[in-house]
Amino acid sequence: DMYKLSPDVVKPGCSLQRLIQHRKDTGIFKGDVEPYCRKIMDEMTHGKAMSHYVQASDGRIVLANPSASKLLGYGADELVGTPVDALVPDSIRPRHAAYREAYGHAPRPRPMGTQMELVARRKDGSDLWVLSRAIVEYDATGRPLTMTGSIADLTKTRELEQELRQSQKLEAIGTLAGGIAHDFNNIL
């Protein structure tokens, strides 16, 4: 594994501290482990309403806050070690894996704050719309190390948009019917 994050290290119950210490022991990480971990955890828990996760370069989730676990239907530590592809619907999983693979070989900086509406897959197999934002951390050579992401549930927003579209259709039908009735009345 390019970043020495083997499945022996990143597995359910793996702590961020252990992961970063392993990266330091293998020469990948050069900073102080404790302050770095504290910074990440502070950033992740700061917005308790947001669901946050950290993904390793090989696509495994190495950290997820309780909000992310709950939103996606997982237990507190179940997301750790889970391939991010497990959170992608079956219909687009191959395309997502190919994109992630290509990105690992030819990374390009993402604009800060880039966000996309995506479909995510819960543990029970159901899908939900989420707003996803991601920030990629690169090493000195420009290779991606980790991606810190946040997701927000868009289910209610999508439902309200659908209701608005439906009411606009009904309004248009009512206007059309009123116009036809008026024209018919004029003919009489």
Side-chain angles (χ1 to χ4, degrees):
D1 173 82
M2 187 164 127
Y3 297 102
K4 300 185 180 25
L5 294 173
S6 71
D8 296 333
V9 175
V10 181
K11 57 186 176 187
C14 174
S15 69
L16 176 65
Q17 179 99 18
R18 181 170 177 243
L19 173 73
I20 302 302
Q21 185 62 53
H22 180 76
R23 286 177 60 196
K24 183 170 183 129
D25 295 345
T26 57
I28 301 294
F29 180 76
K30 305 289 184 206
D32 292 327
V33 174
E34 187 65 35
Y36 182 76
C37 292
R38 195 170 30 257
K39 176 183 170 254
I40 289 176
M41 291 307 294
D42 286 348
E43 289 172 1
M44 288 186 68
T45 57
H46 207 62
K48 290 185 168 83
M50 283 298 276
S51 302
H52 300 285
Y53 63 93
V54 177
Q55 172 188 326
S57 61
D58 68 356
R60 282 176 287 136
I61 296 172
V62 296
L63 183 67
N65 72 354
S67 179
S69 296
K70 181 179 177 185
L71 177 63
L72 297 168
Y74 286 81
D77 291 329
E78 282 185 296
L79 279 175
V80 173
T82 300
V84 74
D85 291 337
L87 306 178
V88 177
D90 294 337
S91 61
I92 59 173
R93 190 171 296 149
R95 210 172 49 220
H96 180 266
Y99 173 79
R100 202 173 41 72
E101 176 79 18
Y103 185 84
H105 292 296
R108 57 207 169 281
R110 296 173 117 181
M112 190 65 120
T114 299
Q115 60 187 27
M116 297 186 303
E117 290 186 13
L118 306 169
V119 178
R121 183 175 184 220
R122 290 186 177 106
K123 183 179 179 183
D124 66 7
S126 63
D127 294 341
L128 76 150
W129 279 95
V130 295
L131 180 65
S132 174
R133 295 182 187 100
I135 299 171
V136 179
E137 176 190 358
Y138 301 92
D139 68 11
T141 66
R143 307 294 298 171
L145 288 174
T146 60
M147 181 181 77
T148 303
S150 64
I151 53 175
D153 188 353
L154 291 179
T155 304
K156 291 287 184 208
T157 304
R158 288 286 178 135
E159 289 172 358
L160 290 173
E161 287 172 353
Q162 182 62 28
E163 286 178 25
L164 176 61
R165 279 191 293 277
Q166 186 66 22
S167 70
Q168 288 171 334
K169 286 178 189 176
L170 291 174
E171 181 181 1
I173 290 169
T175 302
L176 179 62
I180 292 171
H182 179 71
D183 289 347
F184 187 69
N185 191 32
N186 285 342
I187 293 172
L188 294 177

